[in-house]
Amino acid sequence: MLTFNKRTALITGAGRGIGKAIAETLAGHGVTVICVSKSADSCGATAAAIAAAGGKAKALAVDVADGAAIAKAVEELQKEFPLIDILVNNAGITRDGLLFRMSEADWNDVMATNLTSCFHWTKHFGRPMTRARWGRIVNITSVSGIMGNAGQANYSAAKAGMIGLTKTLAREFAGRSVTVNAVAPGFIKTDMTSGFVNNPEASARILEVVPLKRFGEAADVANMTAYLCSEEAGYITGQVFNVDGGMAM
Ligand code: NAP
């Protein structure tokens, strides 16, 4: 059993997939969760499911690719929740294509959603966390950011950027007992991967490079993330934890 002491967490991309599993897992530990997603329906459904299960949740629709929208949402949120103890930067998109065919718009969209969003959320919540001398930040990166992946120059660069950001902020915030870690999923069954998970030929090709020979579940990533957010993980910072069935050893 992990210890959380009635903390409050904000999870981006909590409407579906990995972010939803993280929100549900933290709520199951008594954490109050703010569920962020792009569409109000999506984060609303997650918050409603958590409330129906007896947890505490609030839905917040924000386009994380828009720094001004984040600033406005944070200003409103801080009236109700002056301190966010736990931040999970999970929202992400793919706009895949080989470099010569990749548009600047696809490069910029992925950078804004996957990487620059982490800069904004962390700037807003990092200061109150450091003042409170307790905080947990977990950035959901990817094995693509560690190994690279043909067809994902934008995504791999953004995910590698998240690792650099994680390690730097771990050093900047360490003196105030705020930890910053990253989790790097491999192939996890969500909407993002349904195209090839549901395609037998593509699945077989991918599973050749996964030693555990199966796709991961969103809960596999959520369990690691919850541990990193707990009291018990207070001596761990600046690290990247792969949840990838052994893919990137
Ligand atoms: P997913 O099923 O596609 O869900 C993505 C979530 O992010 C959705 O809730 C979506 O909101 C939200 N989101 C996307 N763009 C947003 C924006 N501009 N503003 C606010 N919210 C936005 O993805 P997933 O597979 O759970 O992936 C979650 C994270 O894990 C991503 O960062 C992804 O890169 C990373 N990851 C996933 C895998 C994998 O195999 N699935 C592997 C490695 C890393 P809506 O619901 O409103 O659309």
Side-chain angles (χ1 to χ4, degrees), residues 45-156:
T46 300
I50 289 170
K56 292 195 200 106
K58 179 187 174 74
L60 189 63
V62 188
D63 180 356
V64 304
D66 180 347
I70 294 175
K72 195 162 164 255
V74 169
E75 200 184 326
E76 274 304 303
L77 189 69
Q78 281 176 336
K79 292 177 192 161
E80 197 179 344
F81 299 96
L83 179 64
I84 299 294
D85 308 287
I86 298 168
L87 169 64
V88 181
N89 285 306
N90 163 80
I93 55 166
T94 52
R95 295 285 183 271
D96 295 352
L98 293 172
L99 184 77
F100 296 142
R101 281 188 225 137
M102 186 176 286
S103 68
E104 192 174 346
D106 283 347
W107 174 271
N108 288 338
D109 284 352
V110 170
M111 285 297 159
T113 307
N114 297 13
L115 179 59
T116 312
S117 61
C118 305
F119 162 79
H120 289 299
W121 287 111
T122 309
K123 252 189 115 170
H124 288 295
F125 296 138
R127 196 183 292 276
M129 277 184 201
T130 54
R131 279 203 201 105
R133 294 181 177 269
W134 197 96
R136 298 281 186 266
I137 299 171
V138 179
N139 294 322
I140 307 299
T141 174
S142 168
V143 287
S144 293
I146 296 170
M147 303 168 71
N149 192 19
Q152 290 197 311
N154 49 4
Y155 184 82
S156 302

Side-chain angles (χ1 to χ4, degrees), residues 13-19 37-39 42 62-65 90-93 113 140-142 155 159 185-188 190-193:
R16 293 181 280 128
I18 292 170
S37 72
K38 193 166 182 178
S39 99
S42 167
V62 188
D63 180 356
V64 304
N90 163 80
I93 55 166
T113 307
I140 307 299
T141 174
S142 168
Y155 184 82
K159 293 297 185 184
F187 289 101
I188 309 296
T190 68
D191 291 350
M192 185 178 270
T193 53

